[in-house]
Amino acid sequence: VPDAEAATGARHVDVLSWAAVLAELSGDLGRAGDFASSAARAAEAADDPAAGALVHEHWARILWATGRPVEEILGHVDLALSLAPGADIAPGAGLAPRARVLATRGQQLMLAGRGHDAVEPCREAIDLAARSGDGAIESHARNSLGVALTMLGDADTGVAELRNAHL
C-alpha cells in the first residue's frame, strides 16, 4: 500500500507490535515471537529506540511464556534497557518505557528465583512509574518486588508491597 502510514495513521513498527500482542492473546506464541522479531527490525529501521525497547520487553515476556531460558529472556530485557530513554529525563518525557522494561527485568529475575537481583530494578521501576504517573507499571513492579522480598525472608515488607500494588 503506497504511503500506508499516512493512510492508516499507524507506523509499521506499531502495527507489527500490535500483531504480536494479538497473536499472544490468541495463544499463538510462536507467531507472537515472529511478529515481535519483525517489529524489532522495524524499530531499528525507523531508528526508534523507545519503540525498540518496548518491542524487546514484550518479546522477553513472550519468551518466558514459551519456557525459554532465563538468560535468553534477560538478553532481550537488557537490550531493551539499553534502548530505553535514561532515568535522568524529565517527568512525562518518556519515563514509562524505561519503567516498563525495569519492571519486567525485576519480574523475570524474581520468577527465576533471583529475588536479591530483582529488588533494585523493581524499586527503580516503581520510582520511574510514579514519576510518569503510570499506575499499571508501578503495580506490576510492586507485585514482583513484594514476591522477591518475601522470597528473601522479609515477608512483612513484601506483603506491604503486594497490598500497595493496586491501580
Side-chain angles (χ1 to χ4, degrees):
V1 174
D3 205 10
E5 185 174 327
T8 64
R11 299 177 315 152
H12 189 159
V13 64
D14 297 328
V15 171
L16 290 168
S17 295
W18 185 239
V21 168
L22 294 176
E24 180 184 20
L25 291 173
S26 75
D28 192 343
L29 297 175
R31 191 159 201 192
D34 291 343
F35 280 125
S37 175
S38 295
R41 286 192 303 277
E44 186 176 343
D47 193 26
D48 188 343
L54 293 174
V55 167
H56 280 282
E57 181 272 338
H58 183 218
W59 197 353
R61 289 185 288 111
I62 293 166
L63 291 171
W64 175 81
T66 62
R68 301 300 302 163
V70 68
E71 294 312 319
E72 182 180 353
I73 295 165
L74 290 175
H76 282 277
V77 173
D78 290 342
L79 180 55
L81 200 52
S82 75
L83 294 170
D88 56 345
I89 60 178
L95 293 173
R98 186 170 191 84
R100 178 176 300 283
V101 172
L102 285 164
T104 294
R105 180 169 179 69
Q107 176 193 45
Q108 293 303 318
L109 290 165
M110 177 271 298
L111 290 170
R114 294 168 51 183
H116 186 268
D117 295 329
V119 171
E120 183 180 337
C122 287
R123 286 190 170 141
E124 189 176 348
I126 291 165
D127 175 61
L128 294 177
R131 288 171 48 200
S132 69
D134 195 319
I137 296 172
E138 183 178 351
S139 179
H140 171 44
R142 285 189 187 281
N143 271 297
S144 298
L145 178 60
V147 174
L149 290 171
T150 301
M151 289 168 52
L152 295 170
D154 189 357
D156 290 340
T157 306
V159 169
E161 286 295 341
L162 291 169
R163 285 191 176 121
N164 287 325
H166 55 70
L167 296 174

